[in-house]
Amino acid sequence: MSSEEVKVNTQTPTVVASQTDALLELRNVTKTFGGLTAVSKVDLIVRPREIVSVIGPNGAGKTTVFNLITGIYEPSSGEVLMAGRSMVGLSPDKIVLQGITRTFQNIRLFNNMTVLENVLVGQHTRLKATVLGSLFRTPRVVQEERMARERAIELLGFFGTGLVARQDEYVMNLSYADRRRVEIARALAADPKLLLLDEPTAGMNEAETLEAVKYIRRLRDELGLTILLIEHKLAVTMGMSDHIAVLDYGQKIADGLPDEVRYDERVIAAYLGRQSETKADDTDESDDDAV
Ligand SMILES: Nc1ncnc2c1ncn2[C@@H]1O[C@H](COP(=O)(O)OP(=O)(O)O)[C@@H](O)[C@H]1O
Ligand SMILES: [Mg+2]
């Protein structure tokens, strides 16, 4: 009996005792690239159904944190836990199956595919059809495809009727704001619990930004998602975050309620001191290409 227990344990991700009710937890996470410490001893807790923001000047390590959570990079040290289970060492595909999906600072869609096809791509980790089944188009495959399309259309419908009507258009013909929406729909297609949004309003004008704020709130309120986002527009972050973590040179220098962070001296110094590098007020589309 004990040998059976051991066998089970080796197949399950490590369970690390957690004193919190966190959905996502980073513990003392560090990532170095050669001599550069991009992320330094960062702790972060995201509880179910929270909207949490990560802010900080350009190069502070925000996107690297997302890459560590989604398995693109492995931490040099520290732990990344989802619902108390370590995700360190899991491939990005496996992490999607743990319920984490994301969008990118620079939109990553297949421009030569249609809106609907792009959303279908987001479901690929969930589809069960085999290669042979797909070749011979067995009833099961046909059924699975039909359901996948229905689901994709339903997800586009989250953003109103506009994208549903444009489902067969090539993504490259959409407005910038619509492409951001399609990218979120694709992330939703994998059925996440936790959605990571890397600068979801970058490149948007004020009206589009307000619209984005509304649907980010609806993602939490209507779909029950937990959201971690990187955001450069401070007004956006302050208005919708349960708490805000501030990074500067890879270190977390503050974490608290919007009002606590707003008046924190270290935060003010980090922003003012590097004002010329930040994009806090930019609504220019081109800034999204700065990685
Ligand atoms: N793959 C990489 N190789 C080397 N340096 C990297 C890599 N990814 C990020 N960095 C560096 O890590 C730091 C943090 O980058 P990043 O996480 O993109 O910052 P932010 O998203 O806050 O603007 C920067 O100095 C960046 O140049
Ligand atoms: Mg970034």
Side-chain angles (χ1 to χ4, degrees), residues 223-255:
L223 305 183
L225 290 175
T226 304
I227 293 170
L228 180 63
L229 73 151
I230 295 171
E231 181 54 64
H232 260 285
K233 294 171 189 160
L234 292 183
V236 170
T237 338
M238 296 289 165
M240 72 175 160
S241 305
D242 291 300
H243 66 100
I244 300 174
V246 188
L247 295 184
D248 191 28
Y249 294 110
Q251 293 184 327
K252 192 172 84 169
I253 59 167
D255 193 342

Side-chain angles (χ1 to χ4, degrees), residues 96 101 116 118-127 148 151-152 155 182-192 195:
V96 169
T101 58
L116 190 71
N118 268 281
V119 180
L120 285 168
V121 168
Q123 298 187 45
H124 84 275
T125 49
R126 303 245 162 224
L127 299 182
R151 173 85 179 128
L155 291 171
V182 173
E183 207 192 16
I184 292 177
R186 183 179 63 185
L188 295 177
D191 257 341
L195 182 62

Side-chain angles (χ1 to χ4, degrees), residues 1 13 28 37 64 76 100 119-120 153 181 201 232 239 269 273 291:
M1 190 178 115
N28 210 20
T37 305
T64 304
S76 307
I100 302 180
V119 180
L120 285 168
I153 292 167
R181 294 184 184 107
T201 72
H232 260 285
V291 179

Side-chain angles (χ1 to χ4, degrees), residues 62-63 105 198-199 230 291:
K62 305 178 298 293
T63 297
Q105 183 170 349
D198 194 344
E199 301 201 26
I230 295 171
V291 179

Side-chain angles (χ1 to χ4, degrees), residues 5 133 138 154 268 275:
E5 274 171 18
T138 57
E154 189 186 326
I268 294 167
Q275 190 76 58

